[in-house]
Coordinates of all heavy atoms in Angstrom, one line a residue:
M411 N 184.5 143.1 0.7 CA 183.3 142.4 0.7 C 183.6 140.9 0.6 O 184.5 140.4 -0.1 CB 182.5 142.8 -0.5 CG 181.1 142.9 -0.2 SD 180.2 143.5 -1.7 CE 179.0 144.4 -0.8
K412 N 182.8 140.1 1.4 CA 183.0 138.7 1.4 C 182.2 138.0 0.3 O 181.0 138.3 0.0 CB 182.5 138.1 2.8 CG 182.9 136.8 3.1 CD 182.5 136.4 4.5 CE 183.0 135.0 4.9 NZ 182.6 134.7 6.2
A413 N 182.9 137.1 -0.4 CA 182.2 136.4 -1.5 C 181.2 135.4 -1.0 O 181.5 134.8 0.0 CB 183.2 135.7 -2.3
V414 N 180.1 135.2 -1.7 CA 179.1 134.2 -1.3 C 179.3 133.0 -2.2 O 179.3 133.1 -3.4 CB 177.7 134.8 -1.5 CG1 176.7 133.7 -1.1 CG2 177.5 136.0 -0.6
N415 N 179.5 131.9 -1.5 CA 179.7 130.6 -2.3 C 178.3 130.0 -2.7 O 177.4 130.0 -1.9 CB 180.4 129.5 -1.4 CG 181.8 130.0 -1.1 OD1 182.4 130.7 -1.9 ND2 182.3 129.6 0.0
A416 N 178.2 129.6 -3.9 CA 177.0 129.0 -4.4 C 176.8 127.6 -3.8 O 177.8 126.9 -3.5 CB 177.1 128.8 -5.9
R417 N 175.6 127.3 -3.5 CA 175.3 126.0 -2.9 C 175.3 124.9 -4.1 O 175.1 125.2 -5.2 CB 173.9 126.0 -2.4 CG 173.8 126.8 -1.1 CD 172.5 126.7 -0.5 NE 172.4 127.4 0.8 CZ 171.7 127.1 1.8 NH1 170.9 126.1 1.7 NH2 171.8 127.8 2.8
P418 N 175.6 123.7 -3.6 CA 175.6 122.6 -4.7 C 174.3 122.5 -5.2 O 173.3 122.8 -4.7 CB 176.1 121.4 -3.9 CG 176.7 121.9 -2.6 CD 176.1 123.3 -2.3
A419 N 174.2 121.9 -6.5 CA 173.0 121.7 -7.2 C 172.0 120.9 -6.4 O 170.9 121.0 -6.5 CB 173.3 121.1 -8.6
E420 N 172.6 119.8 -5.6 CA 171.7 118.9 -4.9 C 170.9 119.7 -3.8 O 169.7 119.4 -3.6 CB 172.5 117.8 -4.2 CG 173.5 118.3 -3.2 CD 174.8 117.6 -3.2 OE1 175.2 117.1 -4.3 OE2 175.4 117.5 -2.2
D421 N 171.4 120.8 -3.2 CA 170.7 121.5 -2.3 C 169.5 122.2 -3.0 O 168.4 122.4 -2.5 CB 171.5 122.6 -1.7 CG 172.5 122.0 -0.6 OD1 172.3 120.8 -0.2 OD2 173.4 122.8 -0.1
S422 N 169.7 122.6 -4.2 CA 168.6 123.3 -5.0 C 167.5 122.3 -5.3 O 166.3 122.6 -5.2 CB 169.1 123.8 -6.3 OG 170.1 124.8 -6.1
V423 N 167.8 121.1 -5.6 CA 166.9 120.0 -5.8 C 166.1 119.7 -4.5 O 164.8 119.6 -4.6 CB 167.5 118.7 -6.3 CG1 166.5 117.6 -6.4 CG2 168.2 119.0 -7.7
D424 N 166.7 119.6 -3.4 CA 166.1 119.4 -2.1 C 165.1 120.6 -1.8 O 164.0 120.4 -1.3 CB 167.1 119.2 -1.0 CG 167.9 118.0 -1.1 OD1 167.4 117.0 -1.7 OD2 168.9 117.9 -0.4
L425 N 165.5 121.8 -2.1 CA 164.7 122.9 -1.9 C 163.5 123.0 -2.7 O 162.4 123.2 -2.3 CB 165.5 124.2 -2.1 CG 164.8 125.6 -1.8 CD1 164.2 125.6 -0.4 CD2 165.7 126.7 -2.1
L426 N 163.7 122.6 -4.0 CA 162.5 122.5 -5.0 C 161.5 121.4 -4.5 O 160.3 121.7 -4.5 CB 163.1 122.2 -6.3 CG 162.0 122.1 -7.4 CD1 161.3 123.4 -7.5 CD2 162.7 121.7 -8.8
A427 N 162.0 120.3 -4.0 CA 161.2 119.2 -3.5 C 160.4 119.7 -2.3 O 159.2 119.4 -2.1 CB 162.0 118.0 -3.2
R428 N 161.1 120.4 -1.5 CA 160.5 120.9 -0.2 C 159.3 121.9 -0.5 O 158.3 121.8 0.0 CB 161.5 121.5 0.7 CG 160.9 122.1 1.9 CD 162.1 122.7 2.8 NE 161.6 123.4 3.9 CZ 162.2 124.2 4.7 NH1 163.5 124.4 4.5 NH2 161.6 124.8 5.7
I429 N 159.6 122.7 -1.5 CA 158.5 123.8 -1.8 C 157.4 123.1 -2.5 O 156.3 123.4 -2.2 CB 159.2 124.8 -2.9 CG1 160.2 125.7 -2.0 CG2 158.2 125.7 -3.5 CD1 161.1 126.6 -2.9
R430 N 157.7 122.1 -3.4 CA 156.5 121.4 -4.0 C 155.7 120.6 -2.9 O 154.5 120.7 -3.0 CB 157.1 120.4 -5.0 CG 157.5 121.1 -6.3 CD 158.0 120.1 -7.4 NE 158.3 120.9 -8.6 CZ 159.1 120.5 -9.4 NH1 159.7 119.3 -9.4 NH2 159.2 121.1 -10.6
R431 N 156.4 120.1 -1.9 CA 155.6 119.4 -0.8 C 154.7 120.4 -0.1 O 153.6 120.0 0.3 CB 156.6 118.7 0.1 CG 156.9 117.3 -0.3 CD 157.6 116.6 0.9 NE 158.7 117.3 1.6 CZ 160.0 117.4 1.3 NH1 160.4 116.8 0.2 NH2 160.8 118.2 2.0
Q432 N 155.3 121.6 0.2 CA 154.5 122.5 0.9 C 153.2 123.0 0.0 O 152.2 123.2 0.7 CB 155.3 123.8 1.3 CG 156.4 123.4 2.3 CD 157.3 124.6 2.6 OE1 157.5 125.4 1.8 NE2 158.0 124.4 3.8
F433 N 153.4 123.1 -1.2 CA 152.2 123.4 -2.1 C 151.2 122.3 -2.0 O 150.0 122.5 -1.9 CB 152.6 123.7 -3.5 CG 153.0 125.2 -3.8 CD1 154.4 125.5 -4.1 CD2 152.1 126.1 -3.8 CE1 154.7 126.8 -4.3 CE2 152.4 127.5 -4.1 CZ 153.8 127.8 -4.3
D434 N 151.7 121.0 -2.1 CA 150.8 119.9 -2.1 C 150.1 119.8 -0.8 O 148.9 119.5 -0.7 CB 151.6 118.6 -2.4 CG 152.1 118.5 -3.8 OD1 151.5 119.2 -4.7 OD2 153.0 117.7 -4.1
D435 N 150.8 120.0 0.3 CA 150.2 120.0 1.6 C 149.1 121.0 1.8 O 148.1 120.7 2.3 CB 151.3 120.1 2.7 CG 152.2 118.9 2.8 OD1 151.9 117.9 2.3 OD2 153.3 119.1 3.6
S436 N 149.4 122.2 1.3 CA 148.4 123.3 1.4 C 147.2 123.0 0.6 O 146.1 123.1 1.0 CB 149.1 124.6 0.8 OG 148.2 125.6 0.8
A437 N 147.3 122.4 -0.6 CA 146.2 122.0 -1.4 C 145.4 121.0 -0.8 O 144.2 121.0 -0.8 CB 146.7 121.6 -2.8
Q438 N 146.0 120.0 -0.2 CA 145.3 118.9 0.5 C 144.5 119.4 1.7 O 143.4 119.0 1.9 CB 146.2 117.8 0.9 CG 146.8 117.0 -0.3 CD 145.7 116.4 -1.1 OE1 144.8 115.8 -0.6 NE2 145.8 116.5 -2.4
L439 N 145.1 120.3 2.4 CA 144.5 120.9 3.6 C 143.2 121.7 3.2 O 142.2 121.6 3.8 CB 145.4 121.8 4.3 CG 144.9 122.5 5.5 CD1 144.3 121.5 6.6 CD2 145.8 123.4 6.2
K440 N 143.3 122.4 2.0 CA 142.1 123.1 1.6 C 141.0 122.2 1.2 O 139.8 122.5 1.4 CB 142.6 124.1 0.4 CG 143.4 125.2 0.9 CD 143.9 126.1 -0.2 CE 144.6 127.3 0.4 NZ 145.9 127.6 -0.2
L441 N 141.4 121.1 0.5 CA 140.3 120.1 0.1 C 139.6 119.6 1.4 O 138.4 119.4 1.4 CB 140.9 119.0 -0.8 CG 141.4 119.5 -2.2 CD1 142.2 118.4 -2.9 CD2 140.2 119.9 -3.0
K442 N 140.4 119.3 2.4 CA 139.8 118.7 3.6 C 139.0 119.8 4.3 O 137.9 119.5 4.8 CB 140.9 118.3 4.6 CG 141.7 117.0 4.1 CD 142.7 116.7 5.1 CE 143.5 115.5 4.6 NZ 144.7 115.2 5.5
A443 N 139.4 121.1 4.3 CA 138.7 122.1 4.9 C 137.4 122.3 4.2 O 136.3 122.6 4.8 CB 139.5 123.4 5.0
H444 N 137.4 122.1 2.8 CA 136.2 122.3 2.1 C 135.1 121.4 2.6 O 134.0 121.7 2.8 CB 136.5 122.0 0.6 CG 135.3 121.8 -0.3 ND1 134.7 120.6 -0.4 CD2 134.6 122.7 -1.0 CE1 133.7 120.7 -1.3 NE2 133.6 121.9 -1.6
D445 N 135.4 120.1 2.8 CA 134.4 119.2 3.3 C 133.9 119.5 4.7 O 132.7 119.3 5.0 CB 135.1 117.8 3.4 CG 135.5 117.3 1.9 OD1 134.8 117.7 1.0 OD2 136.3 116.4 1.9
V446 N 134.7 120.0 5.5 CA 134.3 120.3 6.9 C 133.7 121.7 7.1 O 132.8 121.8 7.9 CB 135.7 120.2 7.9 CG1 135.3 120.5 9.3 CG2 136.2 118.7 7.8
L447 N 134.2 122.7 6.4 CA 133.8 124.0 6.7 C 132.8 124.7 5.8 O 132.2 125.7 6.2 CB 135.1 124.9 6.7 CG 136.2 124.6 7.8 CD1 137.3 125.5 7.6 CD2 135.6 124.7 9.2
A448 N 132.5 124.1 4.7 CA 131.6 124.8 3.7 C 130.2 125.0 4.4 O 129.7 126.1 4.3 CB 131.4 123.9 2.5
E449 N 129.6 124.0 5.0 CA 128.2 124.2 5.6 C 128.3 125.1 6.8 O 127.4 126.0 6.8 CB 127.7 122.8 6.0 CG 127.3 122.0 4.8 CD 126.7 120.6 5.2 OE1 126.1 120.5 6.3 OE2 126.8 119.7 4.4
P450 N 129.2 125.1 7.7 CA 129.2 126.1 8.8 C 129.4 127.5 8.3 O 128.8 128.4 8.9 CB 130.4 125.6 9.7 CG 130.6 124.2 9.4 CD 130.2 124.0 8.0
I451 N 130.1 127.7 7.2 CA 130.3 129.0 6.7 C 129.0 129.6 6.0 O 128.6 130.7 6.2 CB 131.4 129.0 5.6 CG1 132.8 128.8 6.3 CG2 131.4 130.3 4.7 CD1 133.9 128.6 5.3
V452 N 128.2 128.7 5.4 CA 126.9 129.0 4.9 C 126.0 129.4 6.0 O 125.3 130.5 6.0 CB 126.3 127.8 4.1 CG1 124.8 128.1 3.8 CG2 127.0 127.6 2.8
R453 N 126.0 128.6 7.1 CA 125.2 129.0 8.2 C 125.6 130.3 8.9 O 124.7 131.2 9.2 CB 125.2 127.9 9.3 CG 124.5 126.6 8.9 CD 124.2 125.7 10.1 NE 125.4 125.3 10.7 CZ 126.2 124.2 10.4 NH1 125.9 123.5 9.4 NH2 127.3 123.9 11.1
A454 N 126.8 130.6 9.0 CA 127.3 131.8 9.6 C 126.9 133.0 8.7 O 126.5 134.1 9.1 CB 128.8 131.8 9.8
T455 N 127.0 132.8 7.3 CA 126.6 133.9 6.4 C 125.1 134.2 6.6 O 124.8 135.3 6.6 CB 127.0 133.4 5.0 OG1 128.4 133.1 4.9 CG2 126.5 134.5 4.0
E456 N 124.3 133.2 6.6 CA 122.9 133.4 6.8 C 122.6 134.1 8.1 O 121.7 135.0 8.1 CB 122.2 132.0 6.8 CG 122.2 131.4 5.3 CD 121.7 129.9 5.4 OE1 121.6 129.3 6.4 OE2 121.4 129.5 4.2
I457 N 123.2 133.8 9.1 CA 123.0 134.4 10.4 C 123.5 135.9 10.4 O 122.7 136.8 10.9 CB 123.8 133.7 11.6 CG1 123.2 132.4 11.9 CG2 123.9 134.6 12.9 CD1 124.1 131.5 12.7
M458 N 124.5 136.2 9.7 CA 125.0 137.6 9.6 C 124.1 138.4 8.7 O 123.7 139.6 9.0 CB 126.4 137.7 9.0 CG 127.5 137.2 10.0 SD 129.2 137.5 9.5 CE 129.3 136.4 8.0
V459 N 123.6 137.8 7.6 CA 122.6 138.5 6.8 C 121.3 138.8 7.5 O 120.8 139.9 7.4 CB 122.3 137.7 5.4 CG1 121.1 138.2 4.7 CG2 123.6 137.6 4.6
K460 N 120.8 137.8 8.2 CA 119.6 138.0 9.1 C 119.8 139.2 10.0 O 118.9 140.0 10.3 CB 119.1 136.8 9.7 CG 118.5 135.8 8.8 CD 118.2 134.5 9.5 CE 117.6 133.4 8.6 NZ 117.4 132.2 9.3
C461 N 120.9 139.2 10.7 CA 121.3 140.2 11.7 C 121.3 141.6 11.0 O 120.7 142.5 11.6 CB 122.7 139.9 12.3 SG 123.3 141.2 13.4
L462 N 121.9 141.8 9.9 CA 121.9 143.0 9.2 C 120.6 143.5 8.7 O 120.2 144.7 8.8 CB 123.0 143.1 8.1 CG 124.4 142.9 8.5 CD1 125.3 142.7 7.3 CD2 124.9 144.0 9.4
L463 N 119.8 142.5 8.2 CA 118.4 142.9 7.8 C 117.5 143.3 8.9 O 116.6 144.0 8.7 CB 117.9 141.7 7.0 CG 118.6 141.5 5.6 CD1 118.0 140.2 5.0 CD2 118.4 142.6 4.7
A464 N 117.9 142.8 10.1 CA 117.1 143.2 11.3 C 117.6 144.5 12.0 O 117.4 144.7 13.2 CB 117.0 142.1 12.3
N465 N 118.5 145.2 11.3 CA 119.2 146.4 11.8 C 120.1 146.1 12.9 O 120.3 146.9 13.8 CB 118.2 147.5 12.2 CG 117.5 148.0 11.0 OD1 118.1 148.3 9.9 ND2 116.2 148.3 11.2
G466 N 120.7 144.9 13.0 CA 121.6 144.5 14.0 C 123.0 144.9 13.6 O 123.3 145.5 12.5
K467 N 124.0 144.6 14.4 CA 125.4 144.9 14.2 C 126.2 143.6 14.2 O 125.9 142.6 14.9 CB 126.0 145.8 15.3 CG 125.4 147.1 15.3 CD 126.1 147.9 16.4 CE 125.5 149.3 16.5 NZ 126.2 150.1 17.5
I468 N 127.3 143.6 13.5 CA 128.3 142.6 13.5 C 129.5 143.2 14.0 O 130.1 144.1 13.5 CB 128.5 141.9 12.1 CG1 127.3 141.3 11.6 CG2 129.6 140.9 12.1 CD1 127.4 140.9 10.1
L469 N 130.0 142.6 15.1 CA 131.3 143.2 15.8 C 132.4 142.2 15.5 O 132.2 140.9 15.7 CB 131.0 143.3 17.3 CG 129.8 144.2 17.7 CD1 129.7 144.2 19.2 CD2 130.1 145.6 17.2
A470 N 133.6 142.7 15.2 CA 134.7 141.8 15.0 C 135.8 142.4 15.9 O 136.1 143.6 15.9 CB 135.1 141.8 13.6
C471 N 136.5 141.5 16.6 CA 137.7 142.0 17.4 C 138.7 141.0 17.4 O 138.6 139.8 17.0 CB 137.2 142.3 18.8 SG 136.4 140.9 19.7
G472 N 139.9 141.4 17.9 CA 141.0 140.4 18.1 C 142.2 141.1 18.7 O 142.1 142.3 19.1
N473 N 143.2 140.3 18.9 CA 144.4 140.8 19.5 C 145.7 140.4 18.7 O 145.7 139.3 18.2 CB 144.6 140.2 20.9 CG 145.8 140.8 21.7 OD1 146.3 141.8 21.4 ND2 146.2 140.0 22.7
G474 N 146.5 141.3 18.3 CA 147.6 141.1 17.5 C 147.1 140.8 16.0 O 146.4 141.6 15.5
G475 N 147.6 139.7 15.5 CA 147.2 139.3 14.1 C 145.7 139.1 14.0 O 145.2 139.4 12.8
S476 N 145.1 138.7 15.0 CA 143.6 138.6 14.9 C 142.9 139.9 14.8 O 141.8 140.0 14.2 CB 143.1 137.8 16.1 OG 143.6 136.5 16.1
A477 N 143.5 140.9 15.4 CA 142.9 142.3 15.2 C 143.0 142.7 13.8 O 142.1 143.4 13.3 CB 143.7 143.3 16.2
A478 N 144.2 142.4 13.1 CA 144.3 142.8 11.8 C 143.3 142.0 10.9 O 142.7 142.5 10.0 CB 145.7 142.5 11.3
D479 N 143.0 140.7 11.2 CA 142.0 140.0 10.5 C 140.6 140.6 10.7 O 139.8 140.7 9.8 CB 142.0 138.5 11.0 CG 143.2 137.7 10.6 OD1 143.9 138.2 9.6 OD2 143.5 136.7 11.2
A480 N 140.3 141.0 12.0 CA 139.0 141.6 12.3 C 138.9 142.9 11.5 O 137.8 143.2 11.0 CB 138.9 141.9 13.8
Q481 N 139.9 143.7 11.4 CA 139.9 144.9 10.7 C 139.6 144.7 9.2 O 138.8 145.4 8.5 CB 141.1 145.8 10.9 CG 141.2 147.1 10.3 CD 142.4 147.9 10.5 OE1 143.5 147.3 10.8 NE2 142.4 149.1 10.4
H482 N 140.3 143.7 8.7 CA 140.1 143.4 7.3 C 138.7 142.9 7.0 O 138.0 143.3 6.0 CB 141.1 142.3 6.9 CG 141.1 141.9 5.4 ND1 141.5 140.7 5.0 CD2 140.7 142.6 4.3 CE1 141.3 140.6 3.6 NE2 140.8 141.8 3.3
F483 N 138.2 142.0 7.9 CA 136.7 141.5 7.7 C 135.8 142.7 7.7 O 134.9 142.7 6.9 CB 136.5 140.5 8.9 CG 135.0 140.0 8.9 CD1 134.6 139.2 8.0 CD2 134.3 140.4 9.9 CE1 133.3 138.7 8.0 CE2 132.9 140.0 10.0 CZ 132.5 139.2 9.1
S484 N 136.0 143.6 8.7 CA 135.1 144.8 8.8 C 135.2 145.7 7.5 O 134.1 146.1 7.1 CB 135.5 145.7 10.0 OG 135.3 144.9 11.2
A485 N 136.3 145.8 7.0 CA 136.5 146.6 5.8 C 135.7 145.9 4.6 O 135.2 146.6 3.8 CB 138.0 146.8 5.4
E486 N 135.8 144.6 4.5 CA 135.1 143.9 3.4 C 133.6 144.1 3.6 O 132.8 144.3 2.7 CB 135.4 142.4 3.5 CG 136.8 142.1 3.1 CD 137.1 142.3 1.7 OE1 136.4 142.8 0.9 OE2 138.4 142.1 1.4
L487 N 133.1 144.1 4.9 CA 131.6 144.4 5.1 C 131.2 145.8 4.7 O 130.2 146.1 4.2 CB 131.3 144.1 6.6 CG 131.3 142.6 7.0 CD1 130.9 142.6 8.5 CD2 130.3 141.9 6.2
L488 N 132.1 146.8 5.1 CA 131.8 148.1 4.8 C 131.9 148.6 3.3 O 131.2 149.4 2.8 CB 132.8 149.1 5.6 CG 132.5 149.2 7.1 CD1 133.6 149.8 7.8 CD2 131.2 149.9 7.4
N489 N 132.8 147.9 2.6 CA 133.0 148.3 1.2 C 132.3 147.2 0.2 O 131.2 147.3 -0.1 CB 134.4 148.4 1.0 CG 135.0 149.6 1.8 OD1 134.5 150.7 1.7 ND2 136.1 149.3 2.5
R490 N 133.1 146.2 -0.1 CA 132.6 145.2 -1.0 C 133.5 144.0 -0.9 O 134.6 144.0 -0.4 CB 132.6 145.7 -2.5 CG 134.1 145.9 -3.0 CD 134.0 146.1 -4.5 NE 135.4 146.3 -5.0 CZ 136.3 145.3 -5.2 NH1 135.9 144.1 -5.0 NH2 137.5 145.6 -5.6
F491 N 132.9 142.8 -1.3 CA 133.6 141.6 -1.4 C 133.2 140.9 -2.6 O 132.0 140.5 -2.7 CB 133.4 140.8 -0.1 CG 134.1 139.5 -0.1 CD1 135.5 139.4 0.0 CD2 133.4 138.3 -0.3 CE1 136.1 138.2 0.1 CE2 134.1 137.1 -0.3 CZ 135.4 137.0 -0.2
E492 N 134.1 140.6 -3.5 CA 133.9 139.9 -4.7 C 133.0 140.6 -5.8 O 133.1 140.2 -6.9 CB 133.3 138.4 -4.5 CG 134.3 137.5 -3.7 CD 133.8 136.2 -3.6 OE1 132.6 135.8 -3.9 OE2 134.5 135.3 -3.2
R493 N 132.2 141.5 -5.4 CA 131.4 142.2 -6.4 C 131.1 143.6 -5.9 O 131.0 143.9 -4.7 CB 130.1 141.4 -6.8 CG 129.2 141.2 -5.6 CD 128.0 140.5 -5.9 NE 127.2 140.2 -4.8 CZ 126.0 139.8 -4.7 NH1 125.4 139.6 -5.8 NH2 125.4 139.6 -3.5
E494 N 130.8 144.5 -6.8 CA 130.5 145.8 -6.5 C 129.0 145.9 -5.9 O 128.2 145.2 -6.4 CB 130.5 146.7 -7.8 CG 131.9 146.9 -8.4 CD 132.9 147.5 -7.5 OE1 132.5 148.4 -6.7 OE2 134.1 147.2 -7.6
R495 N 129.0 146.7 -4.9 CA 127.7 147.0 -4.3 C 127.9 148.1 -3.4 O 129.0 148.5 -3.0 CB 127.2 145.8 -3.4 CG 128.1 145.5 -2.2 CD 127.5 144.5 -1.3 NE 128.4 144.1 -0.2 CZ 128.8 144.8 0.8 NH1 128.3 146.0 0.9 NH2 129.6 144.4 1.7
P496 N 126.8 148.9 -3.2 CA 126.8 150.1 -2.2 C 127.2 149.6 -0.8 O 126.7 148.5 -0.4 CB 125.5 150.7 -2.3 CG 124.6 149.6 -2.9 CD 125.4 148.6 -3.6
G497 N 127.9 150.5 -0.1 CA 128.2 150.1 1.3 C 126.9 150.3 2.1 O 126.0 151.1 1.7
S498 N 126.8 149.5 3.1 CA 125.6 149.6 4.0 C 125.6 150.7 5.0 O 126.6 150.7 5.7 CB 125.3 148.3 4.7 OG 124.3 148.4 5.6
P499 N 124.7 151.6 5.0 CA 124.7 152.7 6.1 C 124.7 152.1 7.4 O 125.2 152.7 8.5 CB 123.6 153.6 5.7 CG 122.7 152.9 4.8 CD 123.5 151.8 4.2
R500 N 124.1 151.0 7.6 CA 124.0 150.3 8.9 C 125.3 150.0 9.5 O 125.5 149.7 10.6 CB 123.1 149.1 8.9 CG 121.6 149.4 8.6 CD 120.9 148.1 8.7 NE 121.3 147.2 7.7 CZ 120.6 146.8 6.6 NH1 119.4 147.4 6.4 NH2 121.0 146.0 5.7
L501 N 126.3 149.9 8.6 CA 127.6 149.4 9.0 C 128.6 150.5 9.3 O 129.7 150.2 9.7 CB 128.2 148.4 8.0 CG 127.4 147.2 7.6 CD1 128.1 146.5 6.4 CD2 127.3 146.3 8.8
R502 N 128.2 151.7 9.1 CA 129.1 152.8 9.3 C 129.1 153.4 10.6 O 128.2 153.3 11.4 CB 128.9 153.9 8.2 CG 129.2 153.3 6.9 CD 128.9 154.4 5.8 NE 128.9 153.7 4.5 CZ 130.0 153.7 3.7 NH1 131.0 154.2 4.0 NH2 129.8 153.1 2.5

């Protein structure tokens, strides 16, 4: 078996700084998205609720990773999201 050499301590410091920057960048992006996306998300939610109350359907589709996102979104509609509630028979 080949021995693995430990990296110098300075590489660990660089890695730690890089990870911290990635967390900071992610947090900043979320704060910017909050300002831009909150109102459109409210409008989309209102449209979906009106659709379901009018016995309409919400269709979700995608290809590859987007298909997985669509499936997850559909599962949240069929079951629950953030709080317990009965599943809607209109969605089955």
